[in-house]
Amino acid sequence: MISIIPVEGLPEIAEGDDLAAMIAAAVTLEDGDVVCVAHKVVSKAEGRVAQLDGVVPSERAHELAGHDGDPRRLELVLREAARILRARPPLVIAETRHGFVCASAGVDASNAPEADMVVLLPEDPDASAALLRAGLEERTGKSLGVVVTDTFGRAWRFGIVNVAIGAAGIDVLRDLRGEHDPVGYELHSTVIAVADEIAAAAELVMGKTERVPVAVVRGLDVAGESTARELIMPPDLDLFR
Amino acid sequence: MISIIPVEGLPEIAEGDDLAAMIAAAVTLEDGDVVCVAHKVVSKAEGRVAQLDGVVPSERAHELAGHDGDPRRLELVLREAARILRARPPLVIAETRHGFVCASAGVDASNAPEADMVVLLPEDPDASAALLRAGLEERTGKSLGVVVTDTFGRAWRFGIVNVAIGAAGIDVLRDLRGEHDPVGYELHSTVIAVADEIAAAAELVMGKTERVPVAVVRGLDVAGESTARELIMPPDLDLFR
Protein backbone atom coordinates (compact mmCIF):
# COMPACT_ATOMS: atom_id res chain seq x y z
CA MET A 1 0.00 0.00 0.00
CA ILE A 2 1.10 3.54 -0.75
CA SER A 3 0.07 6.54 1.36
CA ILE A 4 -0.09 10.16 0.27
CA ILE A 5 0.23 12.39 3.31
CA PRO A 6 -0.42 16.14 3.14
CA VAL A 7 2.06 18.28 5.07
CA GLU A 8 -0.06 20.87 6.79
CA GLY A 9 0.78 23.94 8.84
CA LEU A 10 3.65 25.32 6.76
CA PRO A 11 3.90 29.11 6.95
CA GLU A 12 3.98 31.37 3.89
CA ILE A 13 7.43 30.94 2.34
CA ALA A 14 9.73 33.91 1.70
CA GLU A 15 13.17 34.36 0.13
CA GLY A 16 15.92 32.83 2.22
CA ASP A 17 13.63 30.53 4.22
CA ASP A 18 15.08 27.15 5.16
CA LEU A 19 12.50 24.88 3.50
CA ALA A 20 14.16 21.69 4.74
CA ALA A 21 13.95 22.85 8.35
CA MET A 22 10.33 23.90 7.91
CA ILE A 23 9.29 20.61 6.33
CA ALA A 24 11.24 18.51 8.84
CA ALA A 25 9.45 20.35 11.64
CA ALA A 26 6.01 19.81 10.09
CA VAL A 27 6.07 16.06 9.37
CA THR A 28 7.73 12.90 10.69
CA LEU A 29 9.58 11.27 7.82
CA GLU A 30 10.47 7.61 7.34
CA ASP A 31 13.15 5.87 5.28
CA GLY A 32 12.09 5.71 1.64
CA ASP A 33 9.63 8.60 1.83
CA VAL A 34 9.43 10.79 -1.24
CA VAL A 35 8.82 14.43 -0.31
CA CYS A 36 6.96 16.25 -3.08
CA VAL A 37 7.20 20.03 -3.06
CA ALA A 38 5.28 22.43 -5.29
CA HIS A 39 7.86 24.54 -7.10
CA LYS A 40 6.15 27.74 -6.04
CA VAL A 41 7.50 27.39 -2.49
CA VAL A 42 10.95 26.36 -3.77
CA SER A 43 10.98 29.35 -6.12
CA LYS A 44 9.89 31.72 -3.36
CA ALA A 45 12.56 30.41 -0.98
CA GLU A 46 15.15 30.85 -3.74
CA GLY A 47 13.97 34.36 -4.60
CA ARG A 48 12.84 33.28 -8.07
CA VAL A 49 10.05 35.83 -8.18
CA ALA A 50 9.88 38.93 -10.33
CA GLN A 51 8.17 42.30 -10.11
CA LEU A 52 6.13 43.31 -13.14
CA ASP A 53 6.67 46.92 -12.15
CA GLY A 54 9.61 48.32 -14.09
CA VAL A 55 9.67 45.58 -16.76
CA VAL A 56 9.89 47.22 -20.20
CA PRO A 57 8.06 45.02 -22.73
CA SER A 58 9.58 44.45 -26.16
CA GLU A 59 7.55 44.70 -29.34
CA ARG A 60 7.28 40.90 -29.40
CA ALA A 61 5.92 40.90 -25.83
CA HIS A 62 3.25 43.39 -26.89
CA GLU A 63 2.33 41.11 -29.82
CA LEU A 64 2.11 38.02 -27.61
CA ALA A 65 0.04 39.86 -25.00
CA GLY A 66 -2.69 40.69 -27.52
CA HIS A 67 -5.61 42.68 -26.17
CA ASP A 68 -6.08 40.79 -22.91
CA GLY A 69 -2.57 40.08 -21.64
CA ASP A 70 -0.07 42.08 -19.64
CA PRO A 71 2.89 42.77 -21.98
CA ARG A 72 5.22 42.99 -18.97
CA ARG A 73 4.32 39.42 -18.01
CA LEU A 74 4.86 38.29 -21.61
CA GLU A 75 8.25 40.02 -21.58
CA LEU A 76 9.21 37.84 -18.60
CA VAL A 77 7.87 34.79 -20.45
CA LEU A 78 10.16 35.63 -23.39
CA ARG A 79 13.13 35.95 -21.03
CA GLU A 80 12.39 32.55 -19.47
CA ALA A 81 11.72 30.85 -22.81
CA ALA A 82 14.27 29.16 -25.05
CA ARG A 83 11.65 28.75 -27.78
CA ILE A 84 7.99 29.56 -28.39
CA LEU A 85 6.04 26.54 -29.68
CA ARG A 86 2.58 28.02 -30.02
CA ALA A 87 1.04 31.40 -29.35
CA ARG A 88 -2.59 32.40 -29.19
CA PRO A 89 -2.32 35.75 -27.41
CA PRO A 90 -2.10 36.02 -24.50
CA LEU A 91 -1.53 32.24 -24.29
CA VAL A 92 2.01 31.08 -25.01
CA ILE A 93 3.29 27.50 -24.98
CA ALA A 94 7.06 27.66 -24.63
CA GLU A 95 10.10 25.53 -24.05
CA THR A 96 12.00 26.72 -21.00
CA ARG A 97 15.78 26.86 -20.80
CA HIS A 98 15.58 23.58 -18.84
CA GLY A 99 13.81 21.91 -21.78
CA PHE A 100 10.32 21.76 -20.27
CA VAL A 101 7.39 22.57 -22.54
CA CYS A 102 4.66 24.39 -20.64
CA ALA A 103 2.37 27.41 -20.65
CA SER A 104 4.07 30.81 -20.18
CA ALA A 105 7.50 29.14 -19.78
CA GLY A 106 6.49 28.55 -16.18
CA VAL A 107 5.89 32.21 -15.38
CA ASP A 108 3.00 32.08 -12.94
CA ALA A 109 1.01 35.08 -11.78
CA SER A 110 -1.54 33.09 -9.79
CA ASN A 111 0.70 31.97 -6.94
CA ALA A 112 2.68 35.16 -6.44
CA PRO A 113 2.90 36.70 -2.99
CA GLU A 114 1.82 40.13 -4.28
CA ALA A 115 -0.45 41.31 -7.07
CA ASP A 116 2.37 42.83 -9.12
CA MET A 117 4.65 39.80 -8.86
CA VAL A 118 5.07 36.53 -10.72
CA VAL A 119 6.73 33.30 -9.65
CA LEU A 120 9.34 31.81 -12.00
CA LEU A 121 10.60 28.23 -12.19
CA PRO A 122 13.73 27.48 -10.16
CA GLU A 123 16.98 28.06 -12.08
CA ASP A 124 17.89 24.38 -11.70
CA PRO A 125 15.04 22.33 -10.18
CA ASP A 126 17.19 19.16 -9.94
CA ALA A 127 19.73 21.11 -7.90
CA SER A 128 16.90 22.50 -5.77
CA ALA A 129 15.69 18.94 -5.15
CA ALA A 130 19.19 17.71 -4.31
CA LEU A 131 19.73 20.55 -1.84
CA LEU A 132 16.38 19.96 -0.18
CA ARG A 133 17.06 16.24 0.02
CA ALA A 134 20.44 16.84 1.67
CA GLY A 135 18.88 19.22 4.17
CA LEU A 136 16.04 16.83 5.01
CA GLU A 137 18.34 13.80 5.31
CA GLU A 138 20.69 15.72 7.56
CA ARG A 139 17.87 16.79 9.86
CA THR A 140 16.02 13.47 9.95
CA GLY A 141 18.74 10.83 9.49
CA LYS A 142 16.46 9.10 6.97
CA SER A 143 17.06 8.10 3.34
CA LEU A 144 14.68 10.23 1.31
CA GLY A 145 13.65 11.22 -2.17
CA VAL A 146 12.55 14.68 -3.21
CA VAL A 147 10.41 15.69 -6.19
CA VAL A 148 9.88 19.35 -7.15
CA THR A 149 6.59 19.66 -9.00
CA ASP A 150 4.64 21.96 -11.27
CA THR A 151 1.27 21.61 -12.99
CA PHE A 152 1.58 21.37 -16.78
CA GLY A 153 -0.97 21.20 -19.55
CA ARG A 154 -0.71 18.39 -22.08
CA ALA A 155 -1.18 18.23 -25.82
CA TRP A 156 -4.57 16.66 -26.73
CA ARG A 157 -5.81 16.29 -23.15
CA PHE A 158 -7.88 18.81 -21.25
CA GLY A 159 -6.81 20.09 -17.86
CA ILE A 160 -3.44 20.22 -16.17
CA VAL A 161 -1.60 17.60 -14.11
CA ASN A 162 1.23 17.76 -11.62
CA VAL A 163 4.59 16.60 -13.02
CA ALA A 164 8.17 16.32 -11.78
CA ILE A 165 10.45 19.20 -12.80
CA GLY A 166 13.18 18.35 -10.27
CA ALA A 167 14.16 15.13 -8.53
CA ALA A 168 16.75 13.71 -6.16
CA GLY A 169 17.18 10.36 -4.47
CA ILE A 170 14.82 8.44 -6.77
CA ASP A 171 14.75 6.65 -10.09
CA VAL A 172 12.48 8.85 -12.19
CA LEU A 173 11.90 6.05 -14.73
CA ARG A 174 10.87 2.42 -14.16
CA ASP A 175 11.29 -0.28 -16.80
CA LEU A 176 7.88 -1.78 -17.39
CA ARG A 177 8.94 -5.11 -18.79
CA GLY A 178 12.16 -5.71 -16.92
CA GLU A 179 13.90 -6.23 -20.24
CA HIS A 180 17.36 -4.95 -20.94
CA ASP A 181 18.82 -2.76 -23.66
CA PRO A 182 15.74 -1.37 -25.29
CA VAL A 183 16.65 1.62 -27.42
CA GLY A 184 15.04 4.86 -28.44
CA TYR A 185 11.32 4.73 -28.88
CA GLU A 186 11.18 1.15 -27.72
CA LEU A 187 12.59 2.31 -24.39
CA HIS A 188 10.25 5.31 -24.34
CA SER A 189 7.24 3.07 -24.73
CA THR A 190 8.29 0.52 -22.13
CA VAL A 191 9.32 2.75 -19.24
CA ILE A 192 6.98 4.42 -16.81
CA ALA A 193 7.67 8.06 -15.94
CA VAL A 194 7.27 7.15 -12.30
CA ALA A 195 8.36 10.56 -10.98
CA ASP A 196 5.53 12.17 -12.93
CA GLU A 197 3.10 9.66 -11.43
CA ILE A 198 4.44 10.43 -7.94
CA ALA A 199 3.95 14.14 -8.60
CA ALA A 200 0.41 13.46 -9.85
CA ALA A 201 -0.37 11.37 -6.77
CA ALA A 202 0.95 14.12 -4.49
CA GLU A 203 -1.28 16.70 -6.13
CA LEU A 204 -4.33 14.75 -5.00
CA VAL A 205 -3.66 16.05 -1.46
CA MET A 206 -1.71 19.22 -2.35
CA GLY A 207 -4.33 20.80 -4.54
CA LYS A 208 -7.20 20.89 -2.13
CA THR A 209 -6.08 24.08 -0.45
CA GLU A 210 -3.42 26.61 -1.28
CA ARG A 211 -1.70 25.93 2.01
CA VAL A 212 -0.58 22.35 1.30
CA PRO A 213 2.40 22.81 -1.03
CA VAL A 214 4.13 19.68 0.30
CA ALA A 215 3.06 16.03 0.39
CA VAL A 216 4.86 12.85 1.38
CA VAL A 217 4.42 9.70 -0.72
CA ARG A 218 5.14 6.68 1.48
CA GLY A 219 5.51 3.01 0.57
CA LEU A 220 7.23 3.38 -2.79
CA ASP A 221 10.38 1.50 -3.73
CA VAL A 222 12.04 4.04 -5.98
CA ALA A 223 15.37 4.91 -4.33
CA GLY A 224 17.95 5.88 -6.94
CA GLU A 225 20.11 8.70 -8.20
CA SER A 226 18.53 10.04 -11.38
CA THR A 227 17.19 13.52 -12.11
CA ALA A 228 14.09 15.00 -13.69
CA ARG A 229 16.19 15.95 -16.70
CA GLU A 230 15.70 12.34 -17.83
CA LEU A 231 11.99 13.09 -18.19
CA ILE A 232 12.63 15.51 -21.03
CA MET A 233 12.16 13.83 -24.41
CA PRO A 234 15.48 13.81 -26.30
CA PRO A 235 15.13 15.93 -29.46
CA ASP A 236 15.99 13.02 -31.77
CA LEU A 237 13.08 10.99 -30.36
CA ASP A 238 10.66 13.89 -30.19
CA LEU A 239 8.00 13.59 -32.89
CA PHE A 240 6.27 16.78 -31.73
CA ARG A 241 8.98 19.43 -31.65
CA MET B 1 -4.45 11.08 3.77
CA ILE B 2 -5.00 9.09 0.60
CA SER B 3 -4.24 5.38 0.29
CA ILE B 4 -3.48 3.44 -2.88
CA ILE B 5 -4.31 -0.20 -2.33
CA PRO B 6 -3.27 -2.92 -4.80
CA VAL B 7 -5.94 -5.55 -5.48
CA GLU B 8 -4.04 -8.82 -5.51
CA GLY B 9 -5.03 -12.35 -6.35
CA LEU B 10 -7.18 -11.69 -9.41
CA PRO B 11 -7.13 -14.60 -11.88
CA GLU B 12 -6.25 -14.17 -15.55
CA ILE B 13 -9.26 -12.50 -17.18
CA ALA B 14 -11.05 -14.02 -20.18
CA GLU B 15 -13.96 -12.96 -22.39
CA GLY B 16 -17.26 -12.99 -20.56
CA ASP B 17 -15.74 -12.87 -17.07
CA ASP B 18 -17.68 -10.87 -14.49
CA LEU B 19 -15.03 -8.34 -13.51
CA ALA B 20 -17.22 -6.68 -10.88
CA ALA B 21 -17.75 -10.00 -9.09
CA MET B 22 -14.06 -10.81 -9.23
CA ILE B 23 -12.98 -7.41 -7.88
CA ALA B 24 -15.67 -7.37 -5.17
CA ALA B 25 -14.42 -10.79 -4.03
CA ALA B 26 -10.79 -9.67 -3.93
CA VAL B 27 -11.02 -6.43 -1.92
CA THR B 28 -13.26 -4.85 0.72
CA LEU B 29 -14.51 -1.55 -0.63
CA GLU B 30 -15.62 1.55 1.29
CA ASP B 31 -17.87 4.46 0.38
CA GLY B 32 -15.98 6.93 -1.80
CA ASP B 33 -13.39 4.44 -3.03
CA VAL B 34 -12.26 4.89 -6.62
CA VAL B 35 -11.55 1.53 -8.26
CA CYS B 36 -8.92 1.88 -10.98
CA VAL B 37 -8.80 -0.88 -13.57
CA ALA B 38 -6.19 -1.32 -16.29
CA HIS B 39 -8.05 -1.40 -19.59
CA LYS B 40 -6.34 -4.64 -20.59
CA VAL B 41 -8.53 -6.63 -18.20
CA VAL B 42 -11.65 -4.70 -19.22
CA SER B 43 -10.84 -5.30 -22.89
CA LYS B 44 -10.21 -9.00 -22.29
CA ALA B 45 -13.49 -9.39 -20.36
CA GLU B 46 -15.29 -7.61 -23.22
CA GLY B 47 -13.62 -9.70 -25.89
CA ARG B 48 -11.82 -6.70 -27.33
CA VAL B 49 -8.84 -8.75 -28.46
CA ALA B 50 -7.88 -9.61 -32.02
CA GLN B 51 -5.95 -12.38 -33.73
CA LEU B 52 -3.17 -11.27 -36.05
CA ASP B 53 -3.59 -14.54 -37.91
CA GLY B 54 -5.81 -13.99 -40.93
CA VAL B 55 -5.52 -10.17 -40.96
CA VAL B 56 -4.74 -9.05 -44.52
CA PRO B 57 -2.59 -5.90 -44.39
CA SER B 58 -3.28 -3.02 -46.76
CA GLU B 59 -0.53 -1.27 -48.65
CA ARG B 60 -0.63 1.54 -46.09
CA ALA B 61 -0.17 -0.99 -43.28
CA HIS B 62 2.92 -2.34 -45.03
CA GLU B 63 4.29 1.19 -45.34
CA LEU B 64 3.67 1.94 -41.66
CA ALA B 65 5.23 -1.35 -40.57
CA GLY B 66 8.55 -0.53 -42.24
CA HIS B 67 11.25 -3.17 -41.93
CA ASP B 68 10.72 -4.03 -38.27
CA GLY B 69 6.97 -4.01 -37.75
CA ASP B 70 4.25 -6.60 -38.30
CA PRO B 71 2.02 -5.24 -41.10
CA ARG B 72 -0.93 -7.22 -39.70
CA ARG B 73 -0.62 -5.32 -36.40
CA LEU B 74 -0.40 -2.03 -38.30
CA GLU B 75 -3.52 -2.99 -40.25
CA LEU B 76 -5.36 -3.31 -36.93
CA VAL B 77 -3.92 0.06 -35.85
CA LEU B 78 -5.34 1.62 -39.01
CA ARG B 79 -8.75 0.08 -38.30
CA GLU B 80 -8.73 1.46 -34.74
CA ALA B 81 -7.45 4.89 -35.78
CA ALA B 82 -9.53 7.87 -36.82
CA ARG B 83 -6.38 9.79 -37.83
CA ILE B 84 -2.63 9.25 -37.93
CA LEU B 85 -0.73 12.14 -36.31
CA ARG B 86 2.86 10.95 -36.73
CA ALA B 87 4.49 7.87 -38.16
CA ARG B 88 8.07 6.67 -37.86
CA PRO B 89 7.70 3.04 -38.93
CA PRO B 90 6.80 0.92 -37.11
CA LEU B 91 5.85 3.60 -34.57
CA VAL B 92 2.50 5.29 -35.15
CA ILE B 93 0.91 8.01 -33.02
CA ALA B 94 -2.80 8.01 -33.79
CA GLU B 95 -6.08 9.48 -32.68
CA THR B 96 -8.53 6.74 -31.79
CA ARG B 97 -12.21 6.85 -32.64
CA HIS B 98 -12.80 7.90 -29.01
CA GLY B 99 -10.55 10.95 -29.55
CA PHE B 100 -7.56 9.72 -27.55
CA VAL B 101 -4.11 10.37 -28.97
CA CYS B 102 -1.74 7.50 -28.22
CA ALA B 103 0.74 5.08 -29.71
CA SER B 104 -0.69 2.43 -32.07
CA ALA B 105 -4.25 3.70 -31.50
CA GLY B 106 -4.19 1.64 -28.32
CA VAL B 107 -3.46 -1.66 -30.10
CA ASP B 108 -1.26 -3.48 -27.59
CA ALA B 109 0.68 -6.63 -28.34
CA SER B 110 2.48 -6.74 -24.99
CA ASN B 111 -0.45 -7.63 -22.77
CA ALA B 112 -2.17 -10.13 -25.05
CA PRO B 113 -3.06 -13.56 -23.71
CA GLU B 114 -1.39 -15.30 -26.68
CA ALA B 115 1.56 -14.51 -28.90
CA ASP B 116 -0.53 -13.98 -32.01
CA MET B 117 -3.08 -11.72 -30.32
CA VAL B 118 -3.37 -8.04 -29.54
CA VAL B 119 -5.52 -6.22 -27.01
CA LEU B 120 -7.63 -3.30 -28.27
CA LEU B 121 -9.13 -0.42 -26.30
CA PRO B 122 -12.71 -0.95 -25.10
CA GLU B 123 -15.35 0.22 -27.61
CA ASP B 124 -16.66 2.75 -25.08
CA PRO B 125 -14.47 2.98 -21.97
CA ASP B 126 -16.90 5.31 -20.17
CA ALA B 127 -19.66 2.75 -20.67
CA SER B 128 -17.29 0.03 -19.43
CA ALA B 129 -16.59 2.13 -16.32
CA ALA B 130 -20.31 2.79 -15.74
CA LEU B 131 -21.15 -0.90 -16.05
CA LEU B 132 -18.36 -1.90 -13.69
CA ARG B 133 -19.42 0.77 -11.21
CA ALA B 134 -23.03 -0.47 -11.26
CA GLY B 135 -21.87 -4.05 -10.73
CA LEU B 136 -19.56 -3.11 -7.87
CA GLU B 137 -22.14 -0.87 -6.17
CA GLU B 138 -24.77 -3.58 -6.45
CA ARG B 139 -22.48 -6.17 -4.87
CA THR B 140 -21.03 -3.97 -2.13
CA GLY B 141 -23.80 -1.48 -1.33
CA LYS B 142 -21.17 1.27 -1.39
CA SER B 143 -20.98 4.50 -3.41
CA LEU B 144 -18.00 4.08 -5.69
CA GLY B 145 -16.08 5.60 -8.55
CA VAL B 146 -14.43 3.65 -11.35
CA VAL B 147 -11.58 4.70 -13.61
CA VAL B 148 -10.49 2.62 -16.60
CA THR B 149 -6.84 3.34 -17.34
CA ASP B 150 -4.18 2.99 -20.00
CA THR B 151 -0.55 4.08 -20.17
CA PHE B 152 0.02 6.84 -22.75
CA GLY B 153 3.14 8.59 -23.97
CA ARG B 154 3.21 12.38 -23.90
CA ALA B 155 4.55 14.96 -26.32
CA TRP B 156 7.89 16.40 -25.10
CA ARG B 157 8.21 14.15 -22.04
CA PHE B 158 9.99 10.82 -21.90
CA GLY B 159 8.27 7.70 -20.64
CA ILE B 160 4.62 6.80 -20.35
CA VAL B 161 2.10 7.51 -17.58
CA ASN B 162 -1.20 5.99 -16.63
CA VAL B 163 -4.22 8.10 -17.63
CA ALA B 164 -8.01 7.80 -17.43
CA ILE B 165 -9.71 6.59 -20.61
CA GLY B 166 -13.02 5.77 -18.93
CA ALA B 167 -14.68 7.06 -15.77
CA ALA B 168 -17.88 6.74 -13.77
CA GLY B 169 -19.02 8.10 -10.43
CA ILE B 170 -16.38 10.84 -10.19
CA ASP B 171 -15.69 14.38 -11.29
CA VAL B 172 -12.79 13.96 -13.69
CA LEU B 173 -11.90 17.68 -13.45
CA ARG B 174 -11.38 19.85 -10.37
CA ASP B 175 -11.39 23.64 -10.50
CA LEU B 176 -8.10 24.83 -9.07
CA ARG B 177 -9.11 28.31 -8.05
CA GLY B 178 -12.73 27.79 -7.13
CA GLU B 179 -13.68 30.51 -9.55
CA HIS B 180 -16.76 30.33 -11.70
CA ASP B 181 -17.34 30.66 -15.42
CA PRO B 182 -13.83 30.55 -16.76
CA VAL B 183 -13.92 29.87 -20.48
CA GLY B 184 -11.78 28.05 -23.00
CA TYR B 185 -8.09 28.10 -22.34
CA GLU B 186 -8.58 29.94 -19.08
CA LEU B 187 -10.61 26.97 -17.86
CA HIS B 188 -8.08 24.51 -19.29
CA SER B 189 -5.28 26.15 -17.35
CA THR B 190 -7.15 26.36 -14.05
CA VAL B 191 -8.63 22.89 -13.78
CA ILE B 192 -6.79 19.80 -12.64
CA ALA B 193 -7.32 16.62 -14.65
CA VAL B 194 -7.88 14.78 -11.40
CA ALA B 195 -8.93 11.50 -13.03
CA ASP B 196 -5.57 11.36 -14.80
CA GLU B 197 -3.82 11.98 -11.48
CA ILE B 198 -5.88 9.20 -9.87
CA ALA B 199 -4.89 6.86 -12.71
CA ALA B 200 -1.24 7.86 -12.29
CA ALA B 201 -1.41 7.26 -8.54
CA ALA B 202 -2.98 3.83 -9.11
CA GLU B 203 -0.19 2.81 -11.47
CA LEU B 204 2.31 3.21 -8.63
CA VAL B 205 0.94 -0.05 -7.20
CA MET B 206 -0.43 -1.60 -10.41
CA GLY B 207 2.78 -1.52 -12.38
CA LYS B 208 4.99 -3.48 -10.07
CA THR B 209 3.80 -6.85 -11.30
CA GLU B 210 1.66 -7.90 -14.22
CA ARG B 211 -0.84 -9.45 -11.86
CA VAL B 212 -2.10 -6.25 -10.23
CA PRO B 213 -4.37 -4.72 -12.88
CA VAL B 214 -6.66 -3.17 -10.26
CA ALA B 215 -6.00 -0.66 -7.48
CA VAL B 216 -8.27 1.18 -5.08
CA VAL B 217 -7.65 4.86 -4.32
CA ARG B 218 -9.17 5.67 -0.93
CA GLY B 219 -9.63 9.00 0.82
CA LEU B 220 -10.47 11.16 -2.19
CA ASP B 221 -13.45 13.47 -2.33
CA VAL B 222 -14.29 13.27 -6.01
CA ALA B 223 -17.83 11.84 -6.24
CA GLY B 224 -19.61 13.12 -9.34
CA GLU B 225 -21.13 12.12 -12.63
CA SER B 226 -18.71 13.12 -15.37
CA THR B 227 -16.93 10.91 -17.92
CA ALA B 228 -13.41 10.61 -19.28
CA ARG B 229 -14.62 12.13 -22.53
CA GLU B 230 -14.23 15.50 -20.77
CA LEU B 231 -10.48 14.84 -20.63
CA ILE B 232 -10.19 15.03 -24.42
CA MET B 233 -9.11 18.50 -25.55
CA PRO B 234 -11.85 20.09 -27.63
CA PRO B 235 -10.57 20.63 -31.21
CA ASP B 236 -11.13 24.40 -31.04
CA LEU B 237 -8.84 24.67 -28.02
CA ASP B 238 -6.25 22.20 -29.27
CA LEU B 239 -3.07 24.00 -30.32
CA PHE B 240 -1.38 20.71 -31.26
CA ARG B 241 -3.79 18.97 -33.63
Side-chain angles (χ1 to χ4, degrees):
Chain A
M1 193 180 85
I2 289 170
S3 306
I4 314 166
I5 304 154
V7 177
E8 308 196 55
L10 288 171
E12 186 71 30
I13 306 297
E15 184 169 358
D17 279 349
D18 186 342
L19 258 187
M22 289 167 150
I23 294 169
V27 64
T28 302
L29 295 170
E30 298 181 3
D31 276 325
D33 282 353
V34 177
V35 180
C36 298
V37 185
H39 90 85
K40 64 182 175 183
V41 296
V42 174
S43 294
K44 286 177 189 173
E46 294 179 352
R48 285 282 292 161
V49 296
Q51 293 276 356
L52 292 177
D53 196 36
V55 171
V56 179
S58 59
E59 196 176 326
R60 180 85 176 115
H62 277 289
E63 282 170 24
L64 291 172
H67 295 297
D68 302 326
D70 183 331
R72 300 171 304 167
R73 190 181 68 81
L74 273 299
E75 176 61 30
L76 293 175
V77 170
L78 286 171
R79 293 179 192 172
E80 292 293 307
R83 192 165 63 97
I84 306 292
L85 276 80
R86 292 285 191 285
R88 182 188 287 179
L91 172 74
V92 171
I93 310 293
E95 181 177 325
T96 69
R97 281 166 293 157
H98 324 84
F100 301 123
V101 174
C102 58
S104 302
V107 175
D108 180 8
S110 68
N111 284 305
E114 293 163 38
D116 207 41
M117 280 184 130
V118 294
V119 179
L120 312 173
L121 294 186
E123 283 280 355
D124 181 347
D126 282 324
S128 305
L131 194 69
L132 189 51
R133 177 196 178 196
L136 285 168
E137 290 191 336
E138 190 188 319
R139 276 172 181 79
T140 61
K142 306 294 182 185
S143 291
L144 303 168
V146 168
V147 175
V148 176
T149 73
D150 194 9
T151 46
F152 282 8
R154 296 88 45 87
W156 317 303
R157 290 183 76 78
F158 193 79
I160 59 179
V161 294
N162 214 29
V163 299
I165 63 167
I170 68 168
D171 282 330
V172 300
L173 300 170
R174 170 167 36 84
D175 191 329
L176 198 60
R177 299 185 190 173
E179 288 171 8
H180 47 281
D181 292 334
V183 290
Y185 246 99
E186 191 191 342
L187 175 63
H188 167 68
S189 63
T190 59
V191 296
I192 296 277
V194 67
D196 283 337
E197 294 189 332
I198 292 169
E203 199 287 325
L204 293 170
V205 301
M206 288 161 75
K208 290 193 177 181
T209 82
E210 278 295 295
R211 281 302 178 97
V212 184
V214 180
V216 175
V217 184
R218 179 166 295 166
L220 294 163
D221 180 18
V222 294
E225 294 298 337
S226 63
T227 66
R229 198 161 288 267
E230 294 180 26
L231 295 167
I232 297 171
M233 184 77 89
D236 60 316
L237 291 182
D238 193 342
L239 297 179
F240 296 97
R241 279 182 73 84
Chain B
M1 193 180 84
I2 290 170
S3 305
I4 314 167
I5 304 155
V7 177
E8 309 197 54
L10 288 172
E12 186 72 28
I13 306 296
E15 184 169 356
D17 279 349
D18 185 341
L19 259 187
M22 289 168 151
I23 294 169
V27 64
T28 303
L29 294 170
E30 298 180 4
D31 276 325
D33 281 354
V34 177
V35 179
C36 298
V37 185
H39 89 85
K40 64 182 177 185
V41 296
V42 174
S43 293
K44 287 176 189 174
E46 294 179 353
R48 284 283 291 163
V49 297
Q51 293 277 357
L52 292 177
D53 195 37
V55 171
V56 180
S58 59
E59 195 175 327
R60 180 82 177 119
H62 277 288
E63 285 170 21
L64 291 172
H67 294 297
D68 302 327
D70 183 330
R72 300 171 305 168
R73 189 183 67 81
L74 273 299
E75 177 60 31
L76 293 175
V77 171
L78 285 171
R79 292 179 194 172
E80 292 293 308
R83 191 166 64 98
I84 307 291
L85 274 81
R86 292 285 190 284
R88 182 189 286 180
L91 171 74
V92 170
I93 310 293
E95 181 176 326
T96 70
R97 281 165 295 157
H98 323 84
F100 301 123
V101 174
C102 58
S104 301
V107 174
D108 179 8
S110 68
N111 285 306
E114 294 163 39
D116 207 42
M117 279 183 131
V118 294
V119 179
L120 312 174
L121 294 186
E123 283 280 355
D124 181 346
D126 282 324
S128 304
L131 195 69
L132 189 50
R133 177 195 179 197
L136 286 168
E137 290 191 336
E138 190 186 320
R139 277 171 182 78
T140 62
K142 306 294 182 184
S143 291
L144 303 168
V146 168
V147 176
V148 176
T149 72
D150 194 9
T151 46
F152 280 9
R154 296 87 46 87
W156 317 303
R157 290 182 77 77
F158 192 79
I160 59 180
V161 294
N162 214 30
V163 299
I165 64 167
I170 67 168
D171 282 329
V172 302
L173 300 170
R174 170 167 37 84
D175 191 327
L176 198 60
R177 298 186 192 172
E179 289 171 8
H180 48 280
D181 293 332
V183 291
Y185 247 99
E186 191 191 342
L187 175 63
H188 166 68
S189 62
T190 58
V191 296
I192 296 278
V194 66
D196 283 338
E197 294 190 330
I198 292 169
E203 199 287 325
L204 293 170
V205 301
M206 288 162 74
K208 290 193 177 180
T209 83
E210 278 296 295
R211 281 303 178 96
V212 183
V214 180
V216 175
V217 184
R218 180 166 294 166
L220 294 163
D221 179 18
V222 294
E225 295 298 337
S226 64
T227 66
R229 197 160 289 266
E230 294 180 26
L231 294 166
I232 297 170
M233 184 77 87
D236 61 317
L237 291 183
D238 194 342
L239 297 179
F240 297 97
R241 280 182 72 85

